[in-house]
Amino acid sequence: MANHKSSVKRIRQTETKRAHNRYYAKTTRNAVKKLRMTTDKAVATELLPKVVAMLDKLAKKNIIHDNKAANLKSKLALHVNKL
């Protein structure tokens, strides 16, 4: 167990940030999965900008790597264009 006040506070802050990041990462993963499973072009075209924005926010806050976000956006755009 931590002995310093500052380290106890850091543990609390880290746990809060981790829960926050996990929530947004999971929400984005679910949105990506929903877009991949979509077979309707109109629905997919409507969903794509929202999912891209979610990925950009995760990359901006270093929850996921910039290249991972770029790869996911590229694959999703290809999927939507194929429909």
Side-chain angles (χ1 to χ4, degrees):
M1 184 63 200
N3 292 322
H4 298 283
K5 274 187 175 180
S6 61
S7 58
V8 172
K9 181 178 178 180
R10 177 56 58 197
I11 290 169
R12 282 198 319 264
Q13 288 177 330
T14 304
E15 184 56 38
T16 304
K17 285 180 184 176
R18 179 174 174 270
H20 181 267
N21 290 343
R22 281 177 53 119
Y23 170 76
Y24 284 103
K26 184 66 174 179
T27 305
T28 304
R29 279 200 305 271
N30 287 338
V32 168
K33 192 184 295 185
K34 183 179 177 185
L35 181 56
R36 280 194 181 133
M37 295 296 148
T38 303
T39 55
D40 184 22
K41 174 91 172 174
V43 174
T45 307
E46 184 181 317
L47 266 177
L48 184 64
K50 294 175 185 172
V51 175
V52 167
M54 293 170 89
L55 289 168
D56 285 337
K57 284 179 189 172
L58 289 183
K60 182 180 178 185
K61 295 183 179 188
N62 291 322
I63 298 172
I64 62 173
H65 196 275
D66 293 345
N67 292 351
K68 180 178 177 73
N71 287 336
L72 285 170
K73 290 190 298 187
S74 173
K75 293 245 174 87
L76 291 172
L78 283 172
H79 170 70
V80 171
N81 288 335
K82 276 186 187 176
L83 293 177

